[in-house]
Amino acid sequence: MRTINHIKYTLLTLSAGAAALFSSCTDNDYAELDMGYDELKMTASATDVVLEEKNHALEAIKLEWTTGNNQGTGKRIAYTLELAEAGTDFADPYVVKDAELQTYNWAPTVDQLNNLLLRNIGILPGETVSLDAKVTACVDGIENDQVAMVSFTATTYEPVTETLYLIGDATPNGWSADDATEMTRTDNGVFTWTGNLAAGNFKFITNLGQFLPSYNNNGEGGLVYRTDDSQPDDPFTIEESHCYKVDVNLLDLTVSYTQVEGVQPPYSTIFFVGNESDWNFLQMTQDPVDPFLFRIGVFFTKGGEFKLGTAEGSWENMYKAPRENAPYTDQEVQFIKGFDPDPKWVLNSDETNLAYKICLDIRPGAERMMMNLYTPYTEMYMVGSATPNGWDLGNATPMTLDASDPNVFVWSGRLAEGELKFSADKQDDWNGAWFMATAEGEAPTGQPQHVLFINKSDAACQAQYKDVSVGSLDYKWVISEAGNYTVTLNQLTQEVTFAKN
């Protein structure tokens, strides 16, 4: 016999008098009636019940019973409904809770009955079990209780997960199972999420920190449940970076991801303007992995005031300091639609002749201006299968510091077909400072291209990214044509040029 949880609850009672308990039955305050001498009988709406989660909200079975009798005493009748595996003689039954009962019947949903069988009676998923249901009617002062029974079989199912997460280089937190992006459960097996996806791949996992089980691409755009590393691990692919609404139905094994407008930055361009630029508008670079962030590196020689605009040449709709003459370390931002007020950040004269990097976060209601002094790295290395020394980080290919600019490194030589990125510190655990491509597999154009800078061991770098785990980022350029190249990397402006000689 299986061990089950036994919580003594009872059924409904007939009477409007004061509450009272009779034997093992409970008074549920029904109207007091003369029930006469009718026999207590119970019926079931089905004899074989196959439970399926896709029907979870539908009625699984309905058990109904007659009133029974109070032998003309006019006393109330109390009822108890019990459920047990057949052959156990109700030695340790599940007693149905009052809150689940209706007058003279019990009609659980598919979900309710399946959970009851799995959790309370100990039936295994996918197992067919024979069950006995018993209703007992008792009357105060009458020794013999009335009993009616029915039997039926039920086949259970394994419920799908109640949690689901997005994982992959297309998702906000990359391939880290510990930081996977949680979806919202709206019903049994139904999940949704809206947010920015980058060009790349993704799939679904059910538990944080665990790559299995997962839901993958079945090759036809639907879902397949994966439980073992030996099974195919095909992902879904996002071709264009955008805001998407992702909908998943694990019961139908369907998935859709549709471009939507919504979780998008309010502006696609931001400009630095101030005394340093002679009040000309210098366009900032939109971060490739977090489109709410805009960046610029500036070597300040003049200092003075500055603010940040949303359209070139326009003095309206600007991001400004929280107060007049705010120091550059003040991260607070106010967005001003009109011209006034017009407070600005100020860089003092003793803070000039230095390089700074500015990062503006334009999340509505959570705007931040993060400006930090930038100390350039004095060494830079190329690593990857396209470089002379391959993926040997300890023996990575060094670049040469430009004699006229401490922010610029140059290298000339032969690159093979393959991948590469730049290390600024050769940190042997690979969690150091990297200058990398803005997307996986980016191809050189021969013209200046933006570079993504990530210091994986720097808390300040991670703090700039609210929805991205920097430790999971690992984008590389792909050299498709071997040959002699001159590679120029500017770490302040975060630009690289691969010029084929």
Side-chain angles (χ1 to χ4, degrees):
M1 186 187 307
R2 294 180 176 85
T3 300
I4 63 174
N5 296 323
H6 181 201
I7 304 174
K8 192 67 176 175
Y9 293 99
T10 50
L11 267 184
L12 306 172
T13 315
L14 299 172
S15 182
L21 295 177
F22 302 96
S23 181
S24 61
C25 301
T26 301
D27 173 12
N28 284 278
D29 203 26
Y30 277 4
E32 187 173 316
L33 297 171
D34 184 353
M35 296 302 183
Y37 294 91
D38 290 340
E39 181 182 359
L40 179 67
K41 296 180 180 180
M42 183 163 61
T43 58
S45 61
T47 56
D48 298 293
V49 180
V50 178
L51 304 173
E52 296 180 288
E53 192 167 11
K54 66 181 180 181
N55 301 322
H56 66 92
L58 301 181
E59 182 180 287
I61 192 171
K62 189 172 188 178
L63 304 180
E64 296 182 281
W65 53 91
T66 60
T67 62
N69 70 82
N70 58 6
Q71 299 184 24
T73 63
K75 294 182 178 181
R76 68 190 65 184
I77 304 176
Y79 301 88
T80 299
L81 178 63
E82 299 169 282
L83 194 68
E85 190 171 357
T88 64
D89 197 27
F90 295 93
D92 194 13
Y94 175 80
V95 184
V96 179
K97 298 177 183 180
D98 295 344
E100 299 176 12
L101 299 172
Q102 302 176 36
T103 307
Y104 310 123
N105 70 76
W106 180 58
T109 66
V110 168
D111 195 37
Q112 290 170 336
L113 183 58
N114 192 72
N115 288 337
L116 184 159
L117 296 177
L118 296 182
R119 300 171 184 175
N120 298 93
I121 299 186
I123 310 303
L124 298 175
E127 183 178 358
T128 299
V129 61
S130 296
L131 298 165
D132 291 334
K134 177 175 69 174
V135 63
T136 302
C138 56
V139 180
D140 185 30
I142 297 179
E143 182 176 350
N144 296 322
D145 293 339
Q146 304 158 69
V147 176
M149 292 178 52
V150 294
S151 298
F152 63 97
T153 65
T155 303
T156 59
Y157 61 83
E158 176 69 50
V160 297
T161 178
E162 294 186 357
T163 57
L164 194 67
Y165 302 85
L166 284 157
I167 186 173
D169 53 33
T171 70
N173 296 330
W175 286 108
S176 171
D178 295 325
D179 296 319
T181 301
E182 186 173 9
M183 302 186 71
T184 299
R185 181 181 183 270
T186 60
D187 202 349
N188 286 46
V190 180
F191 297 85
T192 188
W193 178 83
T194 300
N196 294 311
L197 292 176
N201 299 318
F202 72 94
K203 60 180 181 179
F204 306 92
I205 59 174
T206 61
N207 299 293
L208 280 178
Q210 300 177 19
F211 288 100
L212 290 174
S214 65
Y215 285 89
N216 291 61
N217 192 336
N218 67 359
E220 299 177 352
L223 295 166
V224 61
Y225 188 55
R226 181 172 180 265
T227 58
D228 190 271
D229 284 329
S230 64
Q231 297 170 323
D233 192 17
D234 298 325
F236 298 90
T237 299
I238 295 294
E239 300 292 346
E240 180 184 1
S241 298
H242 202 274
C243 182
Y244 287 82
K245 185 175 187 291
V246 182
D247 292 302
V248 173
N249 188 320
L250 300 182
L251 304 183
D252 296 338
L253 293 176
T254 58
V255 59
S256 66
Y257 39 101
T258 308
Q259 289 188 0
V260 297
E261 300 302 326
V263 186
Q264 291 288 317
Y267 296 97
S268 59
T269 58
I270 298 292
F271 297 85
F272 172 92
V273 58
N275 187 63
E276 187 65 37
S277 66
D278 294 325
W279 297 100
N280 293 313
F281 285 69
L282 303 180
Q283 186 166 350
M284 303 176 72
T285 300
Q286 191 172 29
D287 191 286
V289 295
D290 186 343
F292 287 89
L293 301 182
F294 291 80
R295 302 179 181 276
I296 192 170
V298 179
F299 188 87
F300 282 81
T301 60
K302 302 174 185 177
E305 299 177 324
F306 68 91
K307 53 187 175 179
L308 305 166
T310 58
E312 188 170 9
S314 174
W315 303 101
E316 295 183 89
N317 299 322
M318 302 190 81
Y319 292 93
K320 300 179 181 181
R323 60 193 61 84
E324 290 288 350
N325 301 317
Y328 78 87
T329 54
D330 194 333
Q331 294 189 6
E332 190 176 348
V333 176
Q334 59 175 324
F335 177 71
I336 305 299
K337 289 186 176 181
F339 298 98
D340 297 314
D342 193 26
K344 308 171 191 68
W345 290 277
V346 173
L347 197 69
N348 298 319
S349 59
D350 60 352
E351 298 169 324
T352 59
N353 294 316
L354 295 168
Y356 293 83
K357 286 192 174 182
I358 299 172
C359 175
L360 176 68
D361 187 342
I362 63 170
R363 285 174 172 79
E367 294 90 346
R368 301 175 293 162
M369 195 286 292
M370 295 161 282
M371 181 173 174
N372 296 288
L373 179 67
Y374 183 69
T375 302
Y377 290 95
T378 57
E379 296 179 333
M380 195 68 60
Y381 302 89
M382 298 168 56
V383 62
S385 56
T387 68
N389 297 323
W391 287 109
D392 183 356
L393 183 58
N395 194 32
T397 302
M399 301 182 74
T400 301
L401 184 63
D402 189 287
S404 61
D405 190 337
N407 295 297
V408 176
F409 288 89
V410 181
W411 178 87
S412 293
R414 180 173 177 79
L415 293 177
E417 292 184 7
E419 301 174 326
L420 68 84
K421 55 183 179 178
F422 302 91
S423 171
D425 53 12
K426 291 202 301 183
Q427 190 165 309
D428 57 11
D429 63 359
W430 296 79
N431 284 320
W434 294 95
F435 291 86
M436 59 180 69
T438 59
E440 184 61 27
E442 187 175 357
T445 64
Q447 302 298 318
Q449 293 172 266
H450 182 62
V451 175
L452 174 63
F453 172 72
I454 294 294
N455 189 338
K456 298 187 178 186
S457 62
D458 182 20
C461 180
Q462 177 61 76
Q464 290 184 356
Y465 290 95
K466 288 191 171 182
D467 301 319
V468 176
S469 173
V470 299
S472 65
L473 297 175
D474 188 27
Y475 300 145
K476 298 170 282 289
W477 283 277
V478 172
I479 305 299
S480 59
E481 184 178 351
N484 290 320
Y485 289 81
T486 295
V487 182
T488 304
L489 174 66
N490 188 318
Q491 58 181 311
L492 179 61
T493 62
Q494 294 185 206
E495 289 182 321
V496 66
T497 302
F498 295 89
K500 198 169 187 299
N501 300 327

